[in-house]
Amino acid sequence: MNTNSLTASLFSQLQGTGVQQVSRQLGLDPNQATQAVSAALPLLMGALGSNASQPQGAQSLLNALQKDHLGGSGGGFDLGGILGAVLGGGGGGAATNGAGILGHVFGGQTNQAAQVLGNKTGLDSGRAGQLLAILAPIVMSFLAQRFAQQGNANELGQALGAEAPLAAAGGIGGLLNAFDQDGDGQFGLGDVMGILGKR
């Protein structure tokens, strides 16, 4: 795995305290939580990459990052703050509304994405869905700090577009190979439907 990828960078920041908080929230042991997070992040990044593969999709995503996820401090990515807000269940509005973010990322296929993640990680689909809802605001905040201040939709789209092939190459993102049903190197809604069609 390319250690410079967005997925790897965010995963490295979540290891330790972040994964411990997630494991407590979901009732998992730390190893289970680490494995689940390492599977869920490339799924989210790959889906965002699919959405941002068209110029209008990248611009829409950038607009959402600028509007809801930049935060007031401008002081960089505040993992502790966003995790606390998400797990505490309050105060963040659209920035911490994991279910709302997932609705935009996966369209109407959030439950199916959770089911697929659950099948790959051994989590029940309820916990897999909870995990995606916890991680979605973290991913958006992370991307906002990386890209929203410069305001370059092309750069955002290119960076996210590079995530799926990197993730699929192995490491924490080897899971994407199973999700990429249509062979385009990206996990998107077509892949979710392809997986469901095989059930």
Side-chain angles (χ1 to χ4, degrees):
M1 186 185 68
N2 185 331
T3 55
N4 295 321
S5 75
L6 294 173
T7 303
S9 177
L10 179 53
F11 182 67
S12 69
Q13 292 184 54
L14 277 165
Q15 285 184 302
T17 304
V19 169
Q20 285 170 14
Q21 289 181 261
V22 169
S23 70
R24 282 198 297 271
Q25 183 77 10
L26 298 180
L28 304 173
D29 70 49
N31 288 337
Q32 276 183 302
T34 298
Q35 189 229 351
V37 169
S38 74
L41 285 178
L43 172 57
L44 286 164
M45 290 285 194
L48 284 167
S50 180
N51 292 343
S53 62
Q54 302 298 321
Q56 66 271 24
Q59 187 61 56
S60 296
L61 177 57
L62 181 64
N63 292 345
L65 294 176
Q66 290 173 325
K67 177 173 177 280
D68 295 324
H69 300 281
L70 257 179
S73 67
F77 177 53
D78 178 16
L79 175 59
I82 191 77
L83 245 182
V86 171
L87 297 179
T96 59
N97 180 0
I101 295 166
L102 292 176
H104 290 295
V105 173
F106 292 113
Q109 310 298 325
T110 301
N111 290 340
Q112 290 90 331
Q115 185 179 17
V116 170
L117 179 64
N119 288 344
K120 297 301 176 185
T121 60
L123 297 180
D124 61 75
S125 58
R127 278 185 184 172
Q130 278 183 279
L131 177 62
L132 288 171
I134 290 168
L135 292 177
I138 294 168
V139 169
M140 294 293 277
S141 177
F142 174 76
L143 292 175
Q145 295 301 332
R146 287 289 187 103
F147 298 103
Q149 287 153 325
Q150 296 92 318
N152 187 328
N154 288 337
E155 187 180 329
L156 173 63
Q158 288 172 358
L160 281 171
E163 286 301 297
L166 288 172
I172 64 168
L175 183 66
L176 267 191
N177 286 329
F179 288 128
D180 183 21
Q181 298 290 301
D182 54 16
D184 64 354
Q186 292 187 321
F187 171 72
L189 295 185
D191 296 315
V192 172
M193 298 313 294
I195 290 164
L196 293 174
K198 295 182 176 181
R199 297 182 70 76

